[in-house]
Structures are given as structure tokens and as C-alpha cells.
Amino acid sequence: MTYAVIILTGGTGERLGGVDKAALSYRDATLLDHVLSVVDDASQKVVVGPEKNLPGVVWAREDPPGGGPLAGLAAGLAKITEDWVAVLAVDQPGLTKDTIARLRETGRNAVLSDDRVQWLIGFWNAAELREALPEDPRNLPLRKTLLRLDPVEVSALPGEAQDVDTPADLDTLHSG
């Protein structure tokens, strides 16, 4: 089954002093490079956020910029033609190809879950996502929209759902 990926990078990085999370250094590359490497088998790669010079990537921007993850998802979804799509946040250094494979193997809408549901690590039917999107997704909660699609929860392996939101997360990332 072929699939597309939408990677959301448009957050403000407020708790990190406004840094561009996509450009954060991780294992001799950037967080964006890492997430793209995990989904290198995706037939379409859409990155939502400020454009960078990366081959093989289609860029989208939420309207308005800073309109939140649901607006970012809507912007990315407008660029894909595949029936299935992985939706990921850029600040997920724990993601692996196996993470994506386990989500895809469910054959249905799926999200990663550890001590909580990780709404920005999921695999979705694109038509159902489009149907669930509100007419104006700006600043609306992503969770509420995705919850309506009744996703199966896939248990995260240790560290798999780690994200980078605070200076302490960044320190952990660089020490790992």
C-alpha cells in the first residue's frame, strides 16, 4: 500500500525561545531530515511550514501561518493524492521506520500511544480526514477532529513518542 506523509513544522517553538524545530540538530542532520528519513518510502512528502531547499518535498503553509496544527493538516492534505497518509510532527526524534510500519499494518486509522495518545504520530485514511476537517480549521483542536475517526491505538516503544518542546527536551536530545 502506497502512502503520503504530511510533516507539520509550523509551530512557534515558544518554549524553546522561538527556535525553528525543523532545523534543530540531531545525529549529524536536522530533526526534519530525521523525520523524512523515517518515511523515505512515502510516495508523496508534504512539509507544512516555512520553505527550505529540500529536493523531493512539496511545501505547504497553513492559512494563516501560525493557525495551528489542524490548519497545517488541512494545508498538507490539499497537496496529497494518496489514499493513506502518515501525519507527523517534526519534533519527534524517537520515530523509526518501524513506528510507521506498525501504524500502517493496522490497515485503519491509527495513532501512537504511550501514557497519552500522540495525535501527531498517526496514519489516516485521507478521504476520512478530509471529511472530518471543519470548514475553517484555524486554531481548532486537532485532537477533537481526529478522535471522530475512531483510530486504533498502537502502543509506543520506549522513547518512540519523545518530542522536543522544552530546553530540557533539547538537552536530552543532544545527550542521546
Side-chain angles (χ1 to χ4, degrees):
M1 168 191 350
T2 60
Y3 74 103
V5 64
I6 297 170
I7 302 170
L8 302 176
T9 72
T12 61
E14 235 176 86
R15 291 179 282 179
L16 284 168
V19 302
D20 176 6
K21 288 184 184 183
L24 287 175
S25 191
Y26 180 65
R27 294 187 178 163
D28 301 325
T30 65
L31 279 176
L32 180 55
D33 293 329
H34 168 70
V35 175
L36 284 167
S37 76
V38 167
V39 291
D40 62 355
D41 61 340
S43 63
Q44 295 176 293
K45 298 172 187 80
V46 177
V47 178
V48 180
E51 196 166 329
K52 301 175 185 338
N53 184 15
L54 283 175
V57 171
V58 172
W59 292 89
R61 193 71 172 142
E62 71 274 20
D63 182 27
L70 190 59
L73 173 59
L77 207 49
K79 303 277 186 178
I80 67 156
T81 56
E82 289 290 348
D83 293 336
W84 290 92
V85 60
V87 176
L88 307 169
V90 75
D91 65 343
Q92 305 287 341
L95 287 179
T96 66
K97 288 179 185 246
D98 182 62
T99 310
I100 306 305
R102 290 189 346 266
L103 291 167
R104 289 176 66 196
E105 284 167 5
T106 66
R108 56 177 287 203
N109 295 323
V111 289
L112 198 67
S113 180
D114 55 359
D115 57 333
R116 61 190 170 92
V117 173
Q118 301 295 328
W119 294 107
L120 290 175
I121 305 176
F123 192 69
W124 305 93
N125 177 284
E128 291 178 24
L129 265 180
R130 285 183 182 97
E131 180 78 20
L133 280 176
E135 191 172 315
D136 182 1
R138 289 179 293 178
N139 300 312
L140 292 178
L142 180 81
R143 174 189 52 81
K144 190 179 282 188
T145 296
L146 297 180
L147 192 57
R148 292 193 314 214
L149 299 177
D150 192 30
V152 63
E153 292 182 23
V154 174
S155 295
L157 300 176
E160 199 171 35
Q162 172 191 3
D163 59 6
V164 180
D165 288 330
T166 66
D169 296 338
L170 189 57
D171 290 343
T172 301
L173 176 67
H174 288 300
S175 65

